[in-house]
Amino acid sequence: MKVLLANLHKYVGYSGGIEHVLSRMASALKDRNYEVSVVMADEKEGFPFYPLPDGVELYNLFHMKGMKAIQVGTFDMIMREVTRAFSKEGARNRNYEILLKGKKALQKVLEETEPDVIVSFREPTGRLLLDCISTKIPVISMLHNDPDEIFLHSPKEEKSALKKSRYIQALMPSFIGKAEKYLDYDHFVYIPNAVNIPDLVADPGQDRDVHVITNVGRVTGRTKRQHLLVEAFSLIARDSPDWQVHIWGDTYDKAYVTALKSLIKKKGLTDRVFLKGTTKDMKGVWEGTDIFAFPSHHEGFPLALSEAMGVGIPAVGYKSCSSVNELIKSDVNGYLVEEGPEPFSKALAALMKDEELRRKLGKGARESMESFRPEVVWNSWDELLQKAAK
């Protein structure tokens, strides 16, 4: 079977969660003898941060062979950001107008790859496929976030297009009920992300000269909220001189990164809290981690959190955060707390002072990720692809 993975978004060197999932899916399907192609849309030319396996053809709509390169002008970008200040829905329509520049290129990709099924990774991608092009190829649309976050400011045309999907995949069972508030649709399917657990069993209770609280994710205030971790740690740092905070992730949100660095300096934590950037050596990160801290506002299915738990690291997150509040179970594999720095700091402090508690909850974390192992998840995708192609 031929499968096209469509993520019409910037992709070159981009280390987002969706791009990580796409890389894993391409590898898993290739291993199961699918013929896999990938299409994205990026002004840059180059390679993805998360590699694709040999034999997977990668198409960039903005740089197609035999076609003139598509440029996203400064005017387009300025108008999108001006629109965003007044209307998130309007900004999404502006983004879609930019994607429309790649319509002919996308048609060419479909002609060349002749997929039996298309897996769409973002809602604007589905809109282009199902509404603008009106493809007859079965499309499985993935929802990579809490539907309340996806659809609250979603254009009506986007929602209407998604209803033409053969199936819509949700990352949590609870997300199906949420999505049904926005879409009159009968073919939702629950499949979580696969948790690729490194060949490692962490020991978060071991004796170290320096203990580490780790956060992994894009460094951005709207979603990941690393500033709350800094504020929480500042409340307990003086009593725990052998502890540090390591924040890993893409720092493309320059305004937030600048504000975060200022906060770290203001709190006197420049030698205790470190922005580490991106890495492909996650095994090394987990080996040095004692607690995983995840103060996100909302999530779809957080890969970093699930991987940390999968190797046996206890986690702290907020009760209000979708997905996180279904993965973390207090006193079983970590702690869920109320909003704010102080509750977060108390949960961190409880784990920081008790190595046996970290070991106990770390063991619970590892056990709770068993149902998300790759073989379980990719078997579900295998079944869904076969059904969609019929």
Side-chain angles (χ1 to χ4, degrees), residues 31-286:
D31 289 344
R32 290 170 180 248
N33 297 316
Y34 285 84
E35 187 173 326
V36 182
S37 302
V38 173
V39 59
M40 51 87 162
D42 200 322
E43 278 194 281
K44 297 179 183 177
E45 291 186 272
F47 301 98
F49 181 87
Y50 299 107
L52 297 173
D54 292 339
V56 171
E57 190 74 26
L58 175 62
Y59 296 88
N60 184 349
L61 294 189
F62 291 176
H63 294 278
M64 290 284 290
K65 285 183 181 179
M67 300 182 72
K68 185 178 178 180
I70 297 171
Q71 299 295 325
V72 180
T74 302
F75 178 78
D76 292 319
M77 304 296 285
I78 291 173
M79 288 305 299
R80 183 186 63 186
E81 295 311 311
V82 169
T83 304
R84 193 188 307 279
F86 299 96
S87 169
K88 292 181 180 178
E89 180 178 336
R92 286 171 75 153
N93 277 324
R94 288 280 183 185
N95 267 333
Y96 181 66
E97 289 172 9
I98 293 172
L99 271 188
L100 278 175
K101 297 174 184 284
K103 175 182 175 180
K104 289 184 179 179
L106 181 57
Q107 290 172 322
K108 183 178 180 181
V109 170
L110 297 184
E111 290 169 4
E112 289 188 10
T113 58
E114 298 181 322
D116 299 295
V117 180
I118 303 170
V119 180
S120 171
F121 279 70
R122 295 177 190 268
E123 295 73 38
T125 301
R127 181 177 174 185
L128 192 61
L129 286 163
L130 293 162
D131 189 17
C132 180
I133 292 178
S134 298
T135 181
K136 301 303 180 185
I137 302 166
V139 174
I140 301 173
S141 294
M142 305 173 78
L143 302 182
H144 281 280
N145 209 337
D146 182 336
D148 285 335
E149 292 293 328
I150 293 173
F151 294 122
L152 188 60
H153 302 288
S154 176
K156 62 181 181 181
E157 296 86 356
E158 194 172 276
K159 292 193 280 279
S160 177
L162 284 184
K163 291 194 291 185
K164 300 175 186 176
S165 305
R166 183 67 56 89
Y167 294 99
I168 297 179
Q169 175 243 359
L171 290 168
M172 286 287 174
S174 64
F175 286 179
I176 293 177
K178 288 185 176 184
E180 288 173 340
K181 294 187 302 182
Y182 303 95
L183 302 178
D184 182 13
Y185 184 79
D186 296 327
H187 299 290
F188 288 104
V189 178
Y190 159 63
I191 304 179
N193 281 337
V195 180
N196 282 17
I197 301 171
D199 184 20
L200 168 70
V201 178
D203 181 8
Q206 67 180 281
D207 185 26
R208 311 180 199 258
D209 292 334
V210 176
H211 292 281
V212 174
I213 299 167
T214 294
N215 171 270
V216 178
R218 294 186 319 277
V219 183
T220 181
R222 169 72 177 90
T223 306
K224 305 299 183 179
R225 307 192 302 179
Q226 286 90 349
H227 64 280
L228 291 175
L229 171 56
V230 174
E231 291 177 1
F233 185 65
S234 72
L235 299 175
I236 52 180
R238 183 177 298 178
D239 297 328
S240 307
D242 56 338
W243 283 81
Q244 295 180 356
V245 172
H246 292 182
I247 298 173
W248 293 90
D250 196 318
T251 56
Y252 74 91
D253 187 346
K254 301 303 180 186
Y256 182 71
V257 170
T258 299
L260 190 63
K261 288 179 177 177
S262 296
L263 177 63
I264 292 169
K265 184 177 181 180
K266 178 182 176 182
K267 298 294 185 181
L269 296 172
T270 53
D271 60 344
R272 304 285 300 281
V273 178
F274 302 94
L275 301 184
K276 306 286 283 186
T278 59
T279 181
K280 295 183 180 180
D281 180 24
M282 289 311 300
K283 183 177 180 180
V285 171
W286 302 139

